[in-house]
Amino acid sequence: MLHSVELVCVIFEALTYCTYQRHYLIVNHIGTIRAEHDDFTIRFASSLNQLLLLKSIDGADVDWCKEVKGNMYDMVVEGFQLLSRWTARIWEQCAWKFSRPCKDAIPSESNGTSESFFDYEKVVRYNYSAEERKALVELVSYIKSVGSLMHRCDTLVADALWETIHAEVQDFVQNTLATMLKTTFRKKKDLSRIVSDMRTLSADWMANTNKPESYLQSHGGDESKGNFFYPRPVAPTATQVHCLQFLIYEVVSGGNLRKPGGLFGNSGSEIPVNDLKQLETFFYKLGFFLHILDYSATVATLTDLGFLWFREFYLESSRVIQFPIECSLPWMLVDHVLESQNAGLLESVLMPFDIYNDSAQQALAALRQRFLYDEIEAEVDHCFDLFVSKLCEIIFTYYKSWAASELLDPSFLFASDNREKYSVQPMRFTALFKMTRVKLLGRTVDLRRLLSERMNKVFRDNLEFLFDRFESQDLCAVVELEKLVEILKHAHGLLSKDLSIDSFSLMLNEMQENLSLVSFSSRLATQIWSEMQNDFLPNFILCNTTQRFVRSSRVPLVPMQKPSVPSAKPNFYCGTQELNSAHQSFARLHSGFFGIPHMFSTVRLLGSRSLPWLIRALLDHISNKVSTLEPMITGLQEALPKSIGLLPFDGGVTGCMRVVKENLNWGTKSELKAEVLRGIKEIGSVLYWMGLLDVVLREVDTMHFMQTAPWLGLFPDADGQILLSQDGGDSPVVNLFKSATAAVMSNPGCPNPTSFYTMSKQAEAADLLYKANMNTGSVLEYALAFTSAALDKYCCKWSAAPKTGFIDITTSKDFYRIYSGLQIGHLEDSVQVSSNFEVLGDSVAWGGCTIIYLLGQQMHFELFDFSYQVLNVAEVEAGLLTQAHKNPHVAQGWETLLEAMKKARRLNNHVFSMLKARCPLEDKIACAIKQSGAPLHRIKFENTVSAFETLPQKGA
């Protein structure tokens, strides 16, 4: 039986707890409060519109005026009641929370036990769930928004409120009291005197328009009913209101302070019930009139939520100076809105800061404690800095994700099973961007300006992160860098529509240290050149069949100490983890090679300002490599025998290879051979890189020409030269602006014709500028001409003229003979060791054949190359064996080497064909590069020994 009683008590206690909890927690009433807020704001705005319409109409109907102003008075009263009820809800919930601290386990992010926390954290920080914080933020925003709405219209509604109160008071003292004097208090002289004093004290006889002024003065006002009062915005003073309340009290109580039944109780009273109810109603109305008359103070009192900050009792009990910022309830609400990123609450994120304003006002005006105000001020400064920082991060992440989502490849989205995860939910920051006057402790803060300043810093930090990330990777990451910069630029464009931030080009130039007018080498160009010099040229090999460079499978020849990859920030990459993964998948597609996509990215990133600097650096690299190879080639020339004849046909392939090994006795110079091959390979890689660049620049120039040619009146002729469609005339764009300017200036009503004249002149300047950049040339031709000029220094050593005037077959030690020996040795090694080819690739052929061609030794090479002679012997030998009906596979064991030689011959023929087409030796045609970075179209110059130093850099 005892256990049953205890069980019943526990159940009753639990039910009682749930009942009180449902009553005190705001989350259980927020739906009703939301409906009340929406309904009241609509009706209040409608009443304001009616009042504004009334003020704009002269001579409006008196009854309609009274109705409109009375309705406005009722709305103000209802607003005060709503604010009072909502604020009381917060008071009740706070009392409930303070009386019932959090007893459950502290959340996991605290990393501690509940005993290590202050009591204040248990009643505030860990005592509100996410839904309760959301409901509290919503209610605070409702209170502050309604209070702000009512406070802004205080001067607008003042006349209506005063007229309504004036009419209420005059109707009571002139009509209601007159009837009471005539009926109830006619034979009660003491009470009649008090009632007469009430009328004398507060009656406005000048507003009575039913009787003439002489009659009112002589009779002191008739006690007749139904007097009409002319509306006057003259409200009673506070003294009159208090005196009326006191006199009503005297009339009702008769001086008996202990009247049974209360002040307006009917027991023992000689006043009729109806009259008593009228006195009671007016008595309480008078008390409310005081709040209506002190309109601004009442609104401030009803919306005062400063009590949510004060925690002095817990500071004393905990014996600490101050609690952490995370324990402050106003900051908890702000932080909850920022962390949840609720689109509906985001516009109300500043509302909790009004709690600090209220608490500061209480500390100074009510408590008169300066130290409390100093604590509040310090906390507000810290919280607002955190708020702006977090808000900027959220805004930046949103716009970065938005841009990354829009720039995703459509085919990728089409193939994706769940494309919704790559979309971005819309959020509204427009209201926050428009806030230029945020009130904080009497100060006005320009939130828009602060956001702009922080955004400028965030964009620069993001660019710094992208450059650091690129610098920690190889050159293949240039495609990823361009994509990320494009996303950041697009995010900048989206955000620039709402915020005034620095231009993206200015930020990019600033982060690349490229702001000076005389600076042509940017941070990015320097990094690309460093990567090419230290990693790309030594460690990447050319695969001519796929027209791309790939990393050698062997250990890098020049190991590099690169900085570690910066820690990936999701919002600094693409915004969200899903978008990061999508764009990283795209980047991985271009991470294993270097080709046309990478060249497009390089051209777009460097632009016409830094690209010429990189080209010049690569050309200087060719010149330095040629200078470095000169003593090495001289050493190989000295190691050659005095006489090397043609390979004999009678020994077959085996005999030819034995003769080649005997003549090319470079066994002691294996390291020298490897160094020469690597040098020639780097020269070939640079030249092929220039060829890829030439393809890309031609496509870019063609697109540029197609965009601007119609405006400039240009067209290409059959030879590819650009011609003007109008001889001696202006271009279409200039004609357009000139005709528009003439039409505008001929109109006498034009307010400012000078601006149109300026636009016409600017069109002429743009015409000259674009036409100057149309005649672009070939970067590859320029590079070949530069290489030819660099080789001219060593022409006498590498291409000696025969003394007899005939071709020297046996004693020649020209470069083609050196390269021929290196080539056949390289081919033989690549057959024996398959990984040897993966170190050098096809770049050796591009470098060696280019040097041979520019030295004028192509015919000599094709006649006397060792591998070509071996192939000729193999063909003859195979033909003879076939005619003799013998086994054609006598040269068995050499098939792989012969196939490698045939492949090398095809590659050499391809290189020579390209060189003949792009750099004919008849007239030594090349192109120069202007100071602006644009190549000039084919300029002829004399190829002398000193042309390397004096290669033209300006248009002739």
Side-chain angles (χ1 to χ4, degrees):
M1 185 67 180
L2 182 60
H3 293 291
S4 299
V5 173
E6 292 178 353
L7 180 61
V8 170
C9 293
V10 170
I11 294 175
F12 178 77
E13 183 179 355
L15 291 175
T16 305
Y17 178 82
C18 293
T19 302
Y20 283 123
Q21 189 179 38
R22 283 195 300 270
H23 174 76
Y24 289 122
L25 294 184
I26 296 173
V27 71
N28 299 318
H29 307 278
I30 194 63
T32 304
I33 293 173
R34 190 182 297 117
E36 291 175 348
H37 169 267
D38 297 342
D39 177 68
F40 173 76
T41 51
I42 293 173
R43 292 189 293 110
F44 190 83
S46 177
S47 300
L48 278 180
N49 291 336
Q50 290 288 327
L51 189 60
L52 289 172
L53 180 62
L54 175 64
K55 289 179 177 292
S56 64
I57 299 176
D58 296 331
D61 182 69
V62 176
D63 293 335
W64 183 58
C65 293
K66 184 177 180 180
E67 179 184 356
V68 170
K69 294 178 181 178
N71 186 41
M72 190 72 251
Y73 175 84
D74 294 339
M75 291 305 303
V76 170
V77 172
E78 183 180 351
F80 285 172
Q81 292 171 344
L82 276 178
L83 292 175
S84 177
R85 189 160 61 249
W86 292 346
T87 306
R89 287 284 183 194
I90 297 181
W91 274 102
E92 290 174 352
Q93 178 175 270
C94 286
W96 175 263
K97 292 292 184 181
F98 276 93
S99 63
R100 286 163 179 80
C102 175
K103 297 180 181 179
D104 299 332
I106 301 301
S108 58
E109 66 267 14
S110 59
N111 295 326
T113 59
S114 59
E115 290 78 13
S116 62
F117 291 91
F118 303 115
D119 292 339
Y120 189 70
E121 292 181 276
K122 297 178 183 179
V123 300
V124 173
R125 184 179 182 182
Y126 300 117
N127 212 17
Y128 286 84
S129 65
E131 288 297 323
E132 291 172 349
R133 296 187 187 192
K134 177 184 175 182
L136 184 55
V137 171
E138 195 171 351
L139 183 53
V140 169
S141 65
Y142 288 160
I143 292 174
K144 292 300 180 179
S145 61
V146 171
S148 177
L149 175 66
M150 298 183 69
H151 182 74
R152 286 198 303 269
C153 63
D154 56 348
T155 57
L156 180 63
V157 303
D159 290 350
L161 298 179
W162 293 348
E163 284 188 22
T164 304
I165 294 175
H166 175 268
E168 290 273 356
V169 173
Q170 298 308 313
D171 178 69
F172 180 79
V173 298
Q174 294 194 37
N175 294 332
T176 304
L177 290 184
T179 303
M180 290 182 181
L181 282 173
K182 192 174 181 180
T183 57
T184 305
F185 303 112
R186 182 175 55 181
K187 296 181 180 181
K188 301 175 182 178
K189 296 187 179 299
D190 293 338
L191 296 180
S192 176
R193 178 181 56 79
I194 296 175
V195 173
S196 298
D197 291 341
M198 292 170 60
R199 301 186 70 197
T200 304
L201 176 68
S202 55
D204 184 11
W205 304 112
M206 299 298 297
N208 193 319
T209 58
N210 282 349
K211 301 185 180 299
E213 183 177 356
S214 58
Y215 181 82
L216 294 174
Q217 290 177 353
S218 60
H219 290 78
D222 193 8
E223 291 85 29
S224 62
K225 295 180 62 178
N227 288 340
F228 177 78
F229 305 100
Y230 185 79
R232 296 179 62 186
V234 183
T237 63
T239 303
Q240 287 178 307
V241 171
H242 286 301
C243 289
L244 285 174
Q245 285 182 316
F246 176 76
L247 292 176
I248 292 174
Y249 173 80
E250 286 292 327
V251 169
V252 174
S253 65
N256 184 10
L257 298 180
R258 299 184 178 274
K259 182 179 179 182
L263 178 62
F264 294 98
N266 195 30
S267 58
S269 175
E270 299 178 359
I271 304 175
V273 175
N274 292 335
D275 292 345
L276 194 64
K277 286 185 177 180
Q278 289 181 335
L279 289 172
E280 179 183 5
T281 302
F282 188 69
F283 180 85
Y284 289 119
K285 277 186 177 181
L286 287 173
F288 204 79
F289 287 164
L290 293 174
H291 300 293
I292 298 293
L293 294 176
D294 200 359
Y295 184 88
S296 298
T298 302
V299 171
T301 302
L302 293 177
T303 59
D304 185 4
L305 301 177
F307 59 88
L308 293 175
W309 180 84
F310 288 99
R311 57 277 183 112
E312 299 305 313
F313 169 78
Y314 286 94
L315 288 174
E316 291 293 335
S317 63
S318 302
R319 296 183 179 181
V320 294
I321 299 175
Q322 194 54 264
F323 294 119
I325 191 65
E326 294 81 6
C327 298
S328 180
L329 185 58
W331 171 248
M332 283 170 49
L333 301 181
V334 174
D335 188 59
H336 172 74
V337 176
L338 294 177
E339 292 294 334
S340 64
Q341 298 187 23
N342 189 312
L345 290 179
L346 198 57
E347 294 182 355
S348 305
V349 68
L350 284 170
M351 292 297 182
F353 279 102
D354 271 350
I355 299 174
Y356 288 117
N357 294 333
D358 298 338
S359 59
Q361 180 66 22
Q362 287 189 23
L364 287 180
L367 302 177
R368 299 182 182 275
Q369 298 292 334
R370 178 58 186 266
F371 78 94
L372 282 178
Y373 178 82
D374 293 339
E375 290 180 4
I376 296 171
E377 184 179 28
E379 185 172 322
V380 167
D381 292 341
H382 181 50
C383 288
F384 199 77
D385 285 342
L386 287 177
F387 161 72
V388 173
S389 178
K390 278 197 168 188
L391 181 61
C392 283
E393 185 176 353
I394 292 173
I395 293 173
F396 179 77
T397 301
Y398 170 72
Y399 279 93
K400 190 72 177 292
S401 304
W402 184 8
S405 177
E406 288 190 347
L407 294 181
L408 268 180
D409 189 79
S411 60
F412 172 81
L413 292 176
F414 180 78
S416 177
D417 297 331
N418 185 14
R419 66 186 68 182
E420 286 76 14
K421 67 180 181 179
Y422 301 114
S423 61
V424 179
Q425 297 299 324
M427 297 182 69
R428 296 172 295 183
F429 296 101
T430 309
L432 296 176
F433 292 152
K434 294 179 180 179
M435 291 185 179
T436 58
R437 299 177 62 83
V438 178
K439 297 291 186 179
L440 282 178
L441 307 186
R443 295 172 290 178
T444 301
V445 180
D446 190 346
L447 181 61
R448 178 184 176 88
R449 182 181 61 82
L450 289 177
L451 291 177
S452 299
E453 292 176 355
R454 293 290 181 101
M455 281 301 166
N456 286 328
K457 184 179 184 302
V458 170
F459 273 98
R460 287 172 168 84
D461 291 343
N462 199 174
L463 283 172
E464 181 70 24
F465 169 79
L466 296 182
F467 287 150
D468 288 343
R469 179 182 176 85
F470 173 67
E471 289 169 358
S472 64
Q473 303 177 82
D474 58 20
L475 193 59
C476 301
V478 69
V479 175
E480 180 192 32
L481 175 63
E482 189 216 358
K483 189 68 175 179
L484 296 178
V485 170
E486 184 182 1
I487 292 173
L488 186 62
K489 183 178 180 180
H490 188 46
H492 179 276
L494 294 174
L495 188 58
S496 298
K497 298 176 182 178
D498 299 310
L499 277 184
S500 300
I501 54 181
D502 297 341
S503 66
F504 189 78
S505 59
L506 174 64
M507 295 181 185
L508 188 60
N509 289 333
E510 181 180 328
M511 300 312 297
Q512 291 205 74
E513 303 169 2
N514 196 19
L515 290 175
S516 174
L517 295 177
V518 296
S519 174
F520 298 101
S521 62
S522 61
R523 172 183 177 181
L524 186 57
T526 305
Q527 177 61 24
I528 291 176
W529 164 235
S530 177
E531 284 291 320
M532 293 192 68
Q533 189 178 18
N534 299 321
D535 181 45
F536 178 79
L537 295 177
N539 301 329
F540 278 71
I541 62 174
L542 171 63
C543 182
N544 192 67
T545 56
T546 58
Q547 296 184 347
R548 59 177 62 180
F549 293 89
V550 295
R551 182 177 288 278
S552 172
S553 60
R554 290 186 57 183
V555 180
L557 302 175
V558 184
M560 295 182 60
Q561 297 294 330
K562 292 189 177 183
S564 59
V565 179
S567 58
K569 300 180 180 179
N571 59 339
F572 271 15
Y573 195 79
C574 291
T576 63
Q577 293 294 344
E578 291 79 10
L579 290 170
N580 289 351
S581 300
H583 283 278
Q584 284 174 355
S585 300
F586 170 80
R588 281 194 294 269
L589 296 176
H590 301 84
S591 61
F593 70 99
F594 186 94
I596 291 292
H598 303 79
M599 195 61 71
F600 271 108
S601 298
T602 302
V603 170
R604 284 191 285 260
L605 285 172
L606 296 183
S608 59
R609 184 173 184 179
S610 298
L611 187 59
W613 178 88
L614 179 60
I615 294 173
R616 181 67 194 198
L618 289 170
L619 294 178
D620 289 341
H621 183 73
I622 292 178
S623 175
N624 294 333
K625 278 298 174 184
V626 171
S627 301
T628 305
L629 290 177
E630 190 271 332
M632 300 180 185
I633 293 177
T634 302
L636 294 178
Q637 288 175 334
E638 294 174 352
L640 286 177
K642 294 182 178 180
S643 176
I644 302 178
L646 296 176
L647 299 182
F649 278 74
D650 53 357
V653 175
T654 304
C656 290
M657 293 304 300
R658 183 174 60 253
V659 172
V660 168
K661 290 184 179 179
E662 291 175 356
N663 290 330
L664 302 178
N665 188 15
W666 287 341
T668 58
K669 296 184 179 292
S670 58
E671 294 183 1
L672 189 62
K673 286 170 51 181
E675 287 296 329
V676 172
L677 283 173
R678 282 196 291 267
I680 295 175
K681 175 247 182 184
E682 290 194 21
I683 293 175
S685 296
V686 172
L687 292 174
Y688 194 86
W689 195 90
M690 291 292 184
L692 294 179
L693 178 61
D694 196 49
V695 172
V696 172
L697 287 180
R698 284 182 180 274
E699 183 174 336
V700 172
D701 292 341
T702 302
M703 182 179 63
H704 177 68
F705 175 80
M706 294 177 65
Q707 291 173 345
T708 57
W711 295 97
L712 302 178
L714 304 175
F715 67 95
D717 65 354
D719 297 331
Q721 300 295 324
I722 299 175
L723 303 178
L724 286 172
S725 59
Q726 300 176 1
D727 297 333
D730 293 325
S731 62
V733 65
V734 175
N735 287 330
L736 176 64
F737 275 94
K738 281 187 176 181
S739 59
T741 302
V744 169
M745 297 185 72
S746 62
N747 185 7
C750 180
N752 187 15
T754 309
S755 59
F756 291 92
Y757 181 75
T758 303
M759 291 171 62
S760 176
K761 290 297 183 183
Q762 289 176 346
E764 295 181 18
D767 177 75
L768 295 174
L769 177 63
Y770 279 103
K771 284 182 180 178
N773 290 329
M774 278 296 165
N775 294 323
T776 57
S778 170
V779 175
L780 179 59
E781 293 177 8
Y782 181 84
L784 293 174
F786 193 102
T787 307
S788 177
L791 291 173
D792 285 348
K793 277 187 173 183
Y794 313 103
C795 188
C796 59
K797 296 182 180 180
W798 293 0
S799 183
K803 298 178 181 179
T804 61
F806 297 97
I807 298 177
D808 192 351
I809 299 175
T810 60
T811 61
S812 175
K813 295 185 179 181
D814 291 344
F815 178 81
Y816 78 89
R817 185 61 61 95
I818 301 297
Y819 179 72
S820 178
L822 293 174
Q823 178 181 252
I824 194 170
H826 169 60
L827 293 175
E828 190 174 6
D829 292 342
S830 64
V831 171
Q832 296 175 359
V833 184
S834 59
S835 62
N836 189 52
F837 177 79
E838 297 179 357
V839 178
L840 301 176
D842 295 332
S843 299
V844 175
W846 281 87
C849 291
T850 300
I851 295 176
I852 290 173
Y853 177 80
L854 295 177
L855 291 174
Q857 301 173 4
Q858 178 187 350
M859 296 298 295
H860 295 184
F861 175 75
E862 292 177 346
L863 287 173
F864 306 123
D865 178 61
F866 297 120
S867 61
Y868 288 11
Q869 294 182 53
V870 172
L871 289 176
N872 294 335
V873 171
E875 292 176 4
V876 173
E877 184 179 13
L880 293 175
L881 292 174
T882 303
Q883 293 177 4
H885 303 286
K886 294 183 179 181
N887 184 8
H889 299 287
V890 173
Q892 190 175 5
W894 301 103
E895 292 88 351
T896 307
L897 178 59
L898 293 176
E899 188 62 31
M901 290 179 178
K902 291 178 182 179
K903 180 181 177 182
R905 183 169 61 180
R906 290 194 298 268
L907 178 58
N908 293 340
N909 293 336
H910 171 71
V911 175
F912 286 134
S913 299
M914 185 277 299
L915 293 172
K916 287 180 181 179
R918 304 304 295 272
C919 184
L921 293 180
E922 292 80 21
D923 51 4
K924 294 276 187 162
I925 296 178
C927 68
I929 296 180
K930 293 171 36 176
Q931 288 180 340
S932 63
L936 279 175
H937 187 68
R938 294 195 172 187
I939 295 177
K940 296 182 180 180
F941 64 95
E942 186 177 354
N943 191 3
T944 63
V945 178
S946 61
F948 163 58
E949 288 86 359
T950 61
L951 197 65
Q953 296 296 310
K954 299 181 180 179

